[in-house]
């Protein structure tokens, strides 16, 4: 993990996380320059390196300021941008009422160097609006907590996402923000950038297994796939829930809904690392899609715990998203629960058949 590689100032944030394998390497570049974003690049070289032209990156025209060396080692690249935070109220009888939007590219972000933990491979990017006329962020903040992984496993806190060494976890935390309405709900806008030849699709998978995330039976995946193939290039994955406390428990669950993936007909915020890497192709050959994720209850039923500290965990990485399977404990319990009645039924049937085959006679045997 490198903070602002090649730059001594902490006035901006750029965190480079590099994972090296025997024949390839993965790069995650997190930044709050412009809107908060992460750039994901997979290469076929174990020694590929990130290069940053800081003078150009911080200029009004950052195109070409970020690249991977050697350039021909790159096999796949994508980006995820967190652009806006909406707040709206759907209280009756007024219906939906949208308040002025929080533009995340106009936030003031703290230095994540103070939260960087090289041992736990974690960092936190926290910010507030540069101007906040409504005072909603007077005692609150918006934070993105990043966790990198060296091996496969499962997160210790709910929703206990299963991860691999090719993925990282992002936790979105909205703490202490005062709502501007009595029944406010928040919506986070997320944009994805794909180069020519790849498309994003939203998948929903349901399972009866809620062992690791009780009462949640749905997993959503925003996958990137080649247009002429069935393999998966990258993914964002999350459970259909958020949590309303710092130490999430099952009863703190908040309904989290995705409102559909759509092609974005607007431009991304300027001076971002996305423009610095993709350059002119961002507005021509690249595909930009947007997804809104809301935090709250069902329609017309706002969640009273929402203003406290809603947090949502997202797993992002390369290749196929991890898939949960039944643990050996659940398999053993299921086998006993289903196998015991079946075994008793088979044993009873055998005893009945044996009893029917016995022959009885009224005559005494002749000696």
């Amino acid at each position: 993990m490198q903070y602002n590689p090649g730059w001594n100032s902490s006035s901006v944030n750029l965190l480079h996380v590099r994972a090296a394998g025997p024949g390839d390497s993965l790069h995650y570049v997190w930044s709050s320059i412009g809107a908060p974003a992460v750039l994901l690049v997979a290469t076929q070289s174990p020694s590929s390196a990130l290069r940053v032209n800081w003078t150009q990156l911080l200029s009004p025209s950052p195109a070409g300021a970020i690249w991977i060396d050697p350039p021909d080692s790159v096999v796949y690249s994508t980006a995820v941008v967190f652009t806006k935070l909406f707040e709206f109220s759907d209280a009756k009888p007024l219906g939906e009422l949208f308040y002025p939007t929080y533009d995340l590219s106009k936030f003031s972000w703290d230095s994540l160097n103070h939260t960087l933990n090289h041992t736990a491979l974690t960092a936190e990017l926290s910010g507030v609006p540069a101007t906040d006329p409504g005072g909603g962020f007077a005692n609150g903040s918006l934070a993105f907590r990043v966790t990198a992984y060296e091996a496969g496993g499962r997160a210790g806190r709910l929703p206990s996402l299963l991860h691999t060494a090719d993925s990282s976890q992002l936790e979105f935390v909205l703490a202490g923000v005062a709502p501007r309405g009595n029944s406010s709900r928040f919506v986070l806008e997320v944009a994805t950038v794909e180069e020519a030849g790849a498309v994003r699709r939203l998948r929903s998978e349901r399972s009866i297994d809620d062992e690791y995330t009780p009462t949640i039976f749905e997993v959503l995946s925003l996958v990137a796939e080649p247009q002429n193939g069935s393999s998966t290039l990258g993914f964002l994955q999350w459970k259909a829930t958020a949590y309303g406390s710092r130490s999430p428990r099952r009863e703190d669950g908040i309904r989290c809904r995705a409102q559909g993936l759509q092609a974005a007909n607007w431009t991304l915020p300027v001076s971002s690392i996305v423009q610095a890497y993709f350059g002119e192709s961002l507005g021509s050959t690249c595909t930009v899609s947007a997804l809104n994720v809301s935090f709250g209850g069902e329609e017309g039923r706002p969640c009273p715990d929402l203003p406290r500290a809603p947090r949502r965990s997202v797993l992002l990485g390369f290749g196929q998203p991890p898939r949960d399977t039944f643990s050996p404990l659940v398999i053993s319990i299921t086998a006993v629960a289903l196998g015991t009645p079946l075994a008793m039924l088979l044993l009873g049937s055998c005893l009945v058949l044996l009893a029917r085959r016995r022959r009885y006679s009224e005559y005494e045997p002749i000696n």
Side-chain angles (χ1 to χ4, degrees):
M1 303 179 73
Q2 296 176 296
Y3 176 69
N4 288 351
W7 186 255
N8 294 325
S9 174
S10 60
S11 58
V12 294
N13 290 308
L14 189 148
L15 176 65
H16 175 220
V17 182
R18 178 176 175 269
D24 56 6
S25 58
L26 308 175
H27 299 266
Y28 296 84
V29 185
W30 304 85
S31 177
S32 62
I33 301 174
V38 55
L39 175 67
L40 296 87
V41 183
T43 73
Q44 57 185 0
S45 170
S47 59
S48 60
L50 175 72
R51 305 300 183 193
V52 182
N53 184 330
W54 283 97
T55 303
Q56 187 176 355
L57 178 62
L58 301 179
S59 69
S61 301
I66 294 179
W67 70 97
I68 298 295
D69 190 24
D72 58 357
S73 66
V74 176
V75 293
Y76 174 65
S77 57
T78 185
V80 180
V81 188
F82 304 93
T83 53
K84 296 176 183 178
L85 181 68
F86 300 100
E87 181 184 353
F88 73 97
S89 172
D90 61 354
K92 307 299 182 183
L94 298 178
E96 287 190 356
L97 171 64
F98 278 84
Y99 297 97
T101 303
Y102 293 112
D103 189 343
L104 302 190
S105 66
K106 297 180 181 178
F107 269 46
S108 176
W109 301 95
D110 297 335
S111 172
L112 61 77
N113 191 36
H114 303 307
T115 63
L116 188 59
N117 188 326
H118 290 274
T119 302
L121 300 178
T122 59
E124 179 175 325
L125 181 65
S126 179
V128 296
T131 58
D132 186 18
F137 279 81
N139 298 312
S141 65
L142 170 65
F144 295 90
R145 295 178 179 174
V146 180
T147 303
Y149 298 110
E150 292 182 315
R154 188 179 297 276
R157 297 198 307 173
L158 289 175
S160 304
L161 293 175
L162 180 67
H163 62 259
T164 66
D166 296 341
S167 60
S168 296
Q169 179 172 288
L170 173 67
E171 189 177 31
F172 168 82
V173 184
L174 190 63
V177 178
R180 290 171 284 185
N182 294 329
S183 56
S184 287
R185 292 161 63 186
F186 291 93
V187 177
L188 177 65
E189 183 181 71
V190 182
T192 62
V193 180
E194 292 295 334
E195 291 184 308
V199 294
R200 286 276 179 177
R201 291 186 175 89
L202 181 62
R203 296 177 180 173
S204 175
E205 294 185 4
R206 295 181 178 273
S207 170
I208 62 173
D209 183 15
D210 69 337
E211 176 185 4
Y212 300 104
T213 312
T215 72
I216 304 301
F217 302 94
E218 183 180 13
V219 178
L220 296 168
S221 299
L222 187 59
V223 298
E225 299 174 339
Q227 293 180 340
N228 56 355
S230 59
S231 61
T232 302
L233 301 173
F235 66 89
L236 276 78
Q237 185 184 67
W238 66 95
K239 296 288 184 73
T241 185
Y243 293 91
S245 68
R246 296 185 179 276
S247 300
R249 300 168 298 173
R250 180 182 61 83
E251 53 267 30
D252 298 322
I254 299 173
R255 181 63 176 170
C256 177
R257 296 189 299 173
Q259 298 178 353
L261 182 66
Q262 297 180 352
N265 56 3
W266 38 261
T267 57
L268 294 175
V270 297
S271 302
S272 67
I273 60 169
V274 178
Q275 290 180 322
Y277 180 81
F278 290 100
E280 300 298 330
S281 64
L282 187 60
S284 57
T285 60
C286 289
T287 302
V288 181
S289 304
L291 176 76
N292 289 341
V293 181
S294 63
F295 303 86
E298 302 297 331
E299 286 292 333
R301 298 177 57 188
C303 180
D305 290 337
L306 189 58
R308 289 165 51 194
R311 59 191 61 223
R312 167 177 167 254
S313 298
V314 180
L315 192 73
L316 66 164
F318 301 89
Q320 290 281 356
R323 298 191 64 178
D324 265 323
T325 57
F326 290 104
S327 69
L329 176 62
V330 171
I331 295 175
S332 301
I333 294 175
T334 304
V336 171
L338 297 179
T340 301
L342 181 61
M344 294 179 65
L345 179 62
L346 292 175
L347 180 60
S349 300
C350 292
L351 292 176
V352 170
L353 292 175
L354 290 175
R356 286 184 175 181
R357 294 187 62 180
R358 293 182 59 186
R359 295 182 178 180
Y360 296 92
S361 174
E362 297 179 356
Y363 296 98
E364 293 291 334
I366 299 175
N367 189 350

